[in-house]
Amino acid sequence: MCLVKGIFYHCTNDDDDEGSCADRPCSCSHSNCCARWSFMGALSLVLPCLVCYLPAVGCAKLSQKCYDSASRPGCRCKPPPPACKAAKAKASSGQGNPS
């Protein structure tokens, strides 16, 4: 993928503010999406590892997410609903002031 990014960096003329297509060559949001994907498809005939890139990145992200959910330290509880927070705040403010 570094080769593809290098080719896109040197062979495209991107002047937009959101970044060049060399940063994210697989994105469909930049201009000339069909031309980039066609080029990567043709290049995958010479470099078949490009075919495995997107599934490998997806598997890596999924495995990282599974690992984080199983072994990440700290609280992973859902926050209480807003009504509970308001009741808790009233109870704590009533306890702090003696009447």
Side-chain angles (χ1 to χ4, degrees), residues 26-74:
C26 298
S27 172
C28 294
S29 63
H30 294 304
S31 62
N32 301 326
C33 174
C34 292
R36 284 186 285 118
W37 278 95
S38 299
F39 176 76
M40 286 192 292
L43 196 59
S44 69
L45 297 173
V46 180
L47 300 169
C49 58
L50 288 178
V51 175
C52 301
Y53 178 76
L54 288 177
V57 168
C59 286
K61 287 183 181 181
L62 179 65
S63 63
Q64 183 67 44
K65 190 174 279 192
C66 291
Y67 176 78
D68 286 345
S69 67
S71 65
R72 186 180 64 202

Side-chain angles (χ1 to χ4, degrees), residues 2 8-9 12 16-18 22 25 27 33 41-42 48 51-52 66 69-70 80 86 88 91-92 97 99:
C2 291
F8 286 153
Y9 177 78
T12 59
D16 54 352
D17 291 335
E18 61 188 40
S27 172
C33 174
V51 175
C52 301
C66 291
S69 67
K88 194 175 190 180
S92 67
N97 292 332
S99 301

